[in-house]
Amino acid sequence: METRVQRKENGVQRVLIDASTLDKRITELAAQVDSWYLDSTPILVGVLNGAAVFMTELMQAMAIPVQVDFMAVSSYGSSTESSGVVQILKDLSTSIEGQDILVVEDIVDSGLTLQYLLDVLARRNPRSIRVVAMLRKVKPGAIAVPVDLVGFEIPDEFVIGFGLDYAGQFRNLPYIGILSPEAIMAKPGR
Ligand code: IMP
Ligand code: MG
């Protein structure tokens, strides 16, 4: 007999974007992205770890053929504020020279990570670079980095779920939630 474990959601203050709203919006984003690449096979570049969930949902909702690759960058450590230093932890496995590149990001906050990434990718001479981000924070003082397509603009609060983590946790929640202040305070070393 199978017993299912109950999902533990300690640390979530409230749901900001539920699963069906995400699903509907991703279908719209996929249709828009499809229309950009009617004559080419783009390489989707997912930014690990956060964009893994969005990337898999988006590419399955797309109708055109694609290739996929991943990069991992770090700017946060285990804090909720950007450290201001971006590091490549894992680079692409393929050359992007002459290719159409779609950067798939989970969230644009200060814009620092994306600005750095676009700079690195542009120097590799792709044919084109576009960006789709699942979320963008409305944040005064953020870098005005160009994002072609945004799933949802959200308030400047720390969010978790659908790939997004706090200190490595919560990525597998099937919705976007606001992290509770207690969960932030409970983290040792902050
Ligand atoms: P930025 O460099 O400040 O734009 O931050 C971008 C990266 O920080 C994203 O790719 C996320 O991985 C992470 N990040 C920013 N805001 C949040 C958040 O609210 N929750 C979880 N991760 C976040
Ligand atoms: Mg991240």
Side-chain angles (χ1 to χ4, degrees):
M1 205 175 59
E2 191 188 331
T3 37
R4 287 220 64 188
V5 175
Q6 282 269 285
R7 182 183 285 278
K8 289 205 188 95
E9 286 164 292
N10 301 339
V12 181
Q13 185 173 67
R14 67 185 175 88
V15 175
L16 184 67
I17 308 169
D18 66 25
S20 73
T21 307
L22 282 163
D23 188 57
K24 270 194 220 111
R25 182 67 180 135
I26 289 172
T27 304
E28 291 172 3
L29 298 178
Q32 177 72 51
V33 171
D34 280 343
S35 74
W36 293 339
Y37 302 110
L38 296 179
D39 301 316
S40 76
T41 301
I43 303 177
L44 308 190
V45 171
V47 186
L48 295 172
N49 295 331
V53 177
F54 176 49
M55 172 99 155
T56 53
E57 294 295 315
L58 181 74
M59 69 188 193
Q60 289 176 89
M62 288 173 63
I64 60 155
V66 300
Q67 294 186 57
V68 299
D69 205 341
F70 292 94
M71 269 180 105
V73 294
S74 155
S75 66
Y76 269 52
S78 62
S79 156
T80 58
E81 287 298 322
S82 179
S83 65
V85 181
V86 184
Q87 236 188 319
I88 295 185
L89 303 177
K90 182 220 170 292
D91 207 335
L92 296 174
S93 318
T94 47
S95 163
I96 60 167
E97 187 163 351
Q99 304 287 329
D100 292 310
I101 300 305
L102 179 67
V103 176
V104 180
E105 252 289 29
D106 51 1
I107 184 167
V108 181
D109 182 7
S110 69
L112 206 89
T113 304
L114 187 58
Q115 188 189 50
Y116 173 83
L117 211 60
L118 290 176
D119 195 52
V120 166
L121 295 176
R123 277 187 265 129
R124 298 179 185 179
N125 302 316
R127 182 159 82 152
S128 70
I129 305 184
R130 284 192 167 103
V131 181
V132 57
M134 176 171 69
L135 306 173
R136 184 168 198 165
K137 282 188 194 172
V138 178
K139 187 167 189 159
I143 299 170
V145 57
V147 181
D148 298 275
L149 198 53
V150 174
F152 300 89
E153 297 210 320
I154 62 165
D156 186 13
E157 285 184 87
F158 199 80
V159 289
I160 47 175
F162 217 81
L164 292 162
D165 75 305
Y166 173 58
Q169 289 190 53
F170 305 106
R171 292 195 199 276
N172 60 325
L173 294 177
Y175 56 81
I176 306 281
I178 308 259
L179 185 66
S180 74
E182 296 78 36
I184 297 177
M185 259 132 60
K187 173 86 175 62
R190 293 198 84 250

